[in-house]
Amino acid sequence: MPTFRPRRLLCPAAVILSALAWSPAKAAETPWPAITLADAVARTLADNPAVEAERQRVEQAKGTREIAKGTFDWIAFAQLQASTRRDAINPPPPVPALPDFARTDRATETIGVARKLGNGVTIIPSAALQTEETNIGTGSGLTRSDVGVTFKIPLARGFGRDATEADLRAGTLGLEARREQARQEIAAKVARTSTAYWRVLAAAQRLALAREAQAGAARLSDNIRTQFKGGELESALLDEATADVLRRKSSRLNAEQELLEARQDLGFNMGLSPDQLLAAPVAADSFPSIAAVDWSPENHRALATLALEKRGDHAALRLNEEVEQTFLRRARNARRTRVDLDVRAALSGSAPGTGYDSMRKAAESDLDGYNLTAALNIEWPVLNHAARGDYRRREAALREAETGSIESRNAIAATVAVAAEALSSAAAQNAFAAETSAAFARVVESQRNKFTKGETTLSTLVQNQDRYYDARAAEIQSARAYFSALVQLRLVTGTLVERNADAYSLALDALSAPPQLP
């Protein structure tokens, strides 16, 4: 095998070196639409099916609360009752003209409203008119009126807001918990879109880098082939250059596939339809500037405290604790004996006859005056297994909810610590990668000068060129890792998405700057 003689390459070296020149890769023009990060996030909030599903879960919670409110609605009622009674007269009347039976016809019309109060007392104002006709006597009939109010008062079981408003309070707390949980879930969707966006940007830059490397390798191969045909170079150099072109083509194909996967991931998280995914967008933005991040132990504690205050899922767990406490108080009330007092105060009147005028007179009359009725009802379950079992179940549910909150608190502290360190590490790695690429740029320049003088081989020069490409790719990857870690830190601290009633939004600086410490 022929030996390598550097001096022999001095003439074509300048020609070959022109093919080795490298410049920072620029994003190549693509046939796909470009989208900014702000628009991608806005599209996620508007079109992502999972975000819409969270909104519908909030609507379901509103419906549950509305059902509970129905317990305290006013209810209007009306009743019409008619009866006929026929009794034989025994012995028969001595006067043949009198009937041998007594018949009484009654009709009662009742209207009223009812409402249960928060303390358990039910109020029932009502009015009734009763007409009565008989075939005995004058047969003119009689009309009675009754206007009054009934109070159903629970004295033990069922009395108090703990018993009556449990479902309403639980519905209100549950709605707020669902809203907070939705905020965290929507934040997770936004985080996935943001992470996918940085992945698309990094993939596009790596593809541009791969295309640049392939183009440089192809130019080098063409120049070496020209020199080889002129008999100025050895065949081993041509083989080496050809292999380098094939290797760069393979890297470019991998980069194209990676960009395709990243674009589809971004489109999916934005909520694009199948037809729209065929033209999934690329990133229009570039990576923002990266500043060094150095978290102290005090910063870690402050971030954990911030997360416990801001995290929607943790807030939902605390609200669920209150829900279970509400149900436990109601279960405690249900173990008591039922003692109900029914009191009715009314004004009654009567007037002869059964026509409209008689009804008016009966309502205006006070012949019968005021009346008051009271009834005491007692119900005493001997064993009361149902109430005791429900209390035991609710007590355990409360303990479970409290344990869940403790576990959430511990998990949040751990994930915040990891996310904070990941951001700090990514910032440091990006700085190292930038220094590395700059250092390799100087190495390549030095190797080019040595190669011109015949002091090094083409393989060494290409090898250092490869290291420069790798360092540049690592710089791109570290930038993606930094902003992905930043979004993750925002997510785990609950500072990514804000909620105003049932509207969810975020400020764009949440995607480019760490959260502010309390």
Side-chain angles (χ1 to χ4, degrees):
M1 178 177 292
T3 58
F4 177 73
R5 295 185 295 275
R7 291 295 178 187
R8 187 178 175 184
L9 297 179
L10 286 178
C11 282
V15 179
I16 295 175
L17 285 173
S18 66
L20 290 175
W22 187 93
S23 59
K26 297 181 179 179
E29 294 186 3
T30 67
W32 310 298
I35 191 171
T36 64
L37 178 58
D39 289 339
V41 170
R43 188 72 179 267
T44 301
L45 292 173
D47 296 341
N48 189 302
V51 173
E52 180 61 24
E54 290 299 326
R55 293 193 178 101
Q56 294 308 314
R57 292 187 182 101
V58 171
E59 289 300 314
Q60 293 176 42
K62 288 182 180 179
T64 300
R65 185 186 62 172
E66 195 72 17
I67 292 172
K69 288 175 66 176
T71 303
F72 306 101
D73 286 345
W74 282 102
I75 299 173
F77 62 89
Q79 183 181 36
L80 177 61
Q81 182 178 359
S83 65
T84 298
R85 180 170 179 172
R86 178 170 176 164
D87 297 310
I89 299 176
N90 190 20
V95 182
L98 294 177
D100 58 357
F101 65 90
R103 189 185 71 186
T104 303
D105 296 328
R106 291 189 180 92
T108 304
E109 300 173 7
T110 305
I111 59 172
V113 291
R115 184 176 185 269
K116 188 174 185 178
L117 303 180
N119 58 8
V121 176
T122 302
I123 302 176
I124 311 173
S126 63
L129 281 174
Q130 183 185 76
T131 59
E132 181 178 307
E133 291 184 281
T134 180
N135 62 345
I136 303 298
T138 61
S140 61
L142 183 68
T143 299
R144 294 187 177 90
S145 69
D146 183 271
V147 179
V149 58
T150 301
F151 297 90
K152 294 184 175 292
I153 306 171
L155 301 179
R157 186 196 309 173
F159 179 77
R161 299 186 181 277
D162 286 345
T164 59
E165 293 187 346
D167 287 332
L168 178 58
R169 177 169 173 76
T172 302
L173 292 170
L175 173 58
E176 188 63 18
R178 185 64 259 175
R179 284 169 169 161
E180 287 297 322
Q181 185 67 39
R183 180 168 68 90
Q184 188 67 19
E185 295 297 333
I186 291 173
K189 303 297 183 289
V190 170
R192 287 204 259 296
T193 296
S194 303
T195 301
Y197 188 90
W198 301 128
R199 178 187 176 191
V200 168
L201 178 57
Q205 291 186 356
R206 283 196 296 269
L207 176 58
L209 191 64
R211 286 172 175 167
E212 180 68 26
Q214 179 184 333
R219 290 194 300 269
L220 176 61
S221 177
D222 290 343
N223 283 322
I224 290 179
R225 189 179 301 278
T226 300
Q227 297 297 324
F228 176 76
K229 289 180 179 179
E232 300 179 21
L233 295 179
E234 300 172 354
S235 61
L237 290 177
L238 179 60
D239 292 339
E240 183 178 351
T242 302
D244 189 48
V245 171
L246 295 176
R247 180 170 62 90
R248 291 300 180 185
K249 283 183 177 181
S250 178
S251 297
R252 189 257 305 165
L253 290 174
N254 287 335
E256 289 177 348
Q257 178 65 25
E258 183 182 0
L259 178 58
L260 173 63
E261 294 175 0
R263 288 173 48 238
Q264 293 299 305
D265 186 36
L266 175 60
F268 170 76
N269 284 287
M270 288 168 53
L272 300 186
S273 66
D275 291 340
Q276 293 170 329
L277 283 171
L278 296 176
V282 294
D285 295 333
S286 57
F287 287 117
S289 60
I290 298 175
V293 179
D294 186 15
W295 303 106
S296 66
E298 290 74 16
N299 293 146
H300 280 212
R301 283 190 288 269
L303 285 170
T305 300
L306 179 66
L308 292 175
E309 294 175 355
K310 295 287 189 178
R311 281 278 290 262
D313 52 352
H314 189 67
L317 288 174
R318 295 199 305 268
L319 288 166
N320 286 333
E321 280 188 60
E322 295 186 46
V323 170
E324 293 302 334
Q325 289 172 352
T326 298
F327 285 138
L328 181 62
R329 289 193 293 268
R330 183 176 67 178
R332 182 182 295 113
N333 180 277
R335 296 187 304 175
R336 304 167 68 180
T337 300
R338 178 176 292 280
V339 181
D340 294 341
L341 176 64
D342 295 348
V343 178
R344 177 172 175 78
L347 176 64
S348 299
S350 62
T354 59
Y356 173 79
D357 191 58
S358 298
M359 293 180 183
R360 180 182 60 80
K361 290 179 179 180
E364 295 175 354
S365 172
D366 60 353
L367 296 178
D368 293 345
Y370 296 96
N371 60 78
L372 182 66
T373 305
L376 187 65
N377 304 307
I378 300 177
E379 180 184 295
W380 181 32
V382 178
L383 297 178
N384 209 8
H385 284 304
R388 290 166 56 193
D390 185 56
Y391 180 82
R392 184 173 184 175
R393 180 171 65 91
R394 290 298 180 186
E395 193 174 32
L398 176 58
R399 298 288 88 77
E400 180 186 4
E402 292 172 344
T403 302
S405 294
I406 294 173
E407 184 180 19
S408 171
R409 181 197 64 194
N410 297 342
I412 286 174
T415 54
V416 166
V418 171
E421 282 304 308
L423 182 64
S424 178
S425 175
Q429 290 182 45
N430 180 259
F432 296 154
E435 293 178 7
T436 302
S437 62
F440 273 117
R442 294 190 295 270
V443 170
V444 169
E445 183 66 24
S446 174
Q447 290 295 316
R448 290 177 63 188
N449 294 332
K450 290 182 178 180
F451 182 73
T452 303
K453 299 175 183 178
E455 298 175 355
T456 188
T457 64
L458 181 61
S459 296
T460 301
L461 179 59
V462 172
Q463 183 180 22
N464 283 287
Q465 184 94 357
D466 286 345
R467 290 177 178 176
Y468 186 36
Y469 281 120
D470 292 341
R472 187 71 182 95
E475 189 176 359
I476 295 171
Q477 179 60 26
S478 64
R480 171 195 168 186
Y482 175 85
F483 288 103
S484 297
L486 175 59
V487 170
Q488 183 64 20
L489 180 61
R490 284 282 190 172
L491 175 64
V492 300
T493 54
T495 57
L496 187 57
V497 170
E498 298 295 332
R499 178 176 71 85
N500 182 12
D502 292 333
Y504 301 91
S505 61
L506 79 160
L508 283 182
D509 60 359
L511 302 175
S512 58
Q516 293 184 351
L517 297 178

